Amino acid sequence: MKILKLHPLMTISLLQMQFQRLLHCNVAVYARYSLANSHDTLKEVGLLELELIEHPIDETLSVREFEEELEEKYNCTLELCDKNWKPFTNKSLRLFQLLAVNNTREEDYNRSLEFPYDLFMRNFPHGSQANPAI
């Protein structure tokens, strides 16, 4: 099972890397109805939780269902996009079908994207208690 990890101090670019690694697609994140900056944190775009969240990904959900689920649970507006950053027009597409649509290789994503996430987790291993000044 794939697990999406969300932390209020995580940047949008790190979240995008997770989506690339887990679902083989890009994600556009919105803050106050405009595209968020890649250096904004999830807290700045609306994540209300204070600690690390591990959200299991049900790959049988459609793109629309998944986007709505994340928006309802975490107060973050996002849109899944293809590798060229164009939002998926077929929102009924199932998450497990995204690999075939994007025609990418999982090994390339895993090799290039795991290091930044691991680095983040080493810096903030226990959620917001790791740096109480933030």
Side-chain angles (χ1 to χ4, degrees), residues 98-122:
L98 294 179
L99 179 61
V101 170
N102 282 315
N103 195 22
T104 58
R105 291 185 19 218
E106 185 171 343
E107 306 87 48
D108 292 341
Y109 279 116
N110 286 338
R111 246 193 332 261
S112 64
L113 300 174
E114 282 188 23
F115 177 73
Y117 183 74
D118 292 341
L119 182 62
F120 175 81
M121 290 310 295
R122 281 195 300 272

Side-chain angles (χ1 to χ4, degrees), residues 61-64 89-94 97:
L61 291 176
S62 70
V63 169
R64 175 179 291 114
T89 54
N90 181 2
K91 297 287 186 174
S92 63
L93 189 69
R94 300 292 170 186
Q97 297 173 306

Side-chain angles (χ1 to χ4, degrees), residues 5-12 15 18 29 39-48 74-76:
K5 296 181 180 184
L6 305 170
H7 188 280
L9 300 179
M10 180 183 291
T11 62
I12 300 302
L15 178 67
Q18 268 196 89
V29 180
H39 299 293
D40 288 344
T41 64
L42 294 183
K43 183 178 181 178
E44 293 170 330
V45 298
L47 183 67
L48 301 175
Y74 307 118
N75 198 35
C76 291

Side-chain angles (χ1 to χ4, degrees), residues 6 12 19 26 28 38 43-44 46 49 53 66 68 83 86 89 109 118 120 123 125 130-131:
L6 305 170
I12 300 302
F19 271 89
N26 289 314
S38 63
K43 183 178 181 178
E44 293 170 330
E49 303 294 326
I53 302 165
F66 183 66
E68 289 173 353
K83 65 181 178 180
K86 294 179 183 173
T89 54
Y109 279 116
D118 292 341
F120 175 81
N123 288 330
N131 191 350

